[in-house]
Amino acid sequence: MSTSADGAPIRGERPLRALDERRAETMARLCELIVPGSASVGPVVYVDAVVTSMPPPVREGALAAIDALAAAAEQGTEALAKQERTPEFAFVRALAVEAYYSDFVAPGRDGPGAWEAIDFNSPLATRLAKDWSWLRIA
């Protein structure tokens, strides 16, 4: 998958279902600010799939949370830090952390996934066969 400089999917490569282009770019920035280095796995693909599967009221809340943090995401770390105690930040942080630390790597990305990056190689973790089919992104 091709991406823009900020890690968001380029429109037309893989259609996003819940996030429009502006929100995808905002979420890419937020993911990278909250979990530095996460852009390498394409977290926006994961977030879009998860948000798509949410019940409509929760989905609208997720989109509103992304919108509420858009200006801070544009301004960077210091501006985003001022939002750390808001419910919107908590919601988006949970999505960003899950998108990376679940060890998801978007199709077309080389990674490495988070588990390799943080050297999480317990015997059980190394035997795990991850199945991302529930995201319906193929």
Side-chain angles (χ1 to χ4, degrees):
M1 173 192 327
S2 301
T3 59
S4 62
D6 61 8
I10 293 177
R11 205 114 168 108
E13 288 289 319
R14 188 203 156 276
L16 297 173
R17 296 172 287 174
L19 304 177
D20 59 23
E21 190 171 358
R22 179 184 52 80
R23 285 185 178 124
E25 289 170 4
T26 296
M27 194 64 212
R29 277 190 218 87
L30 289 166
C31 285
E32 190 60 26
L33 287 167
I34 294 167
V35 185
S38 65
S40 66
V41 302
V44 172
V45 174
Y46 183 92
V47 170
D48 179 67
V50 169
V51 170
T52 297
S53 69
M54 293 175 174
V58 180
R59 183 180 321 122
E60 292 307 314
L63 298 176
I66 294 167
D67 292 345
L69 298 174
E74 285 283 333
Q75 296 169 21
T77 307
E78 288 182 31
L80 189 58
K82 294 176 183 174
Q83 303 297 316
E84 73 176 329
R85 302 263 185 224
T86 65
E88 293 84 5
F89 181 83
F91 197 104
V92 168
R93 178 181 56 200
L95 290 171
V97 168
E98 181 182 328
Y100 185 65
Y101 288 107
S102 66
D103 203 35
F104 172 79
V105 178
R109 292 296 183 107
D110 295 329
W115 292 8
E116 182 181 338
I118 65 171
D119 199 25
F120 180 62
N121 59 8
S122 70
L124 183 56
T126 58
R127 290 192 310 254
L128 245 150
K130 298 172 199 89
D131 177 9
W132 301 107
S133 61
W134 64 274
L135 292 174
R136 299 184 189 135
I137 58 172

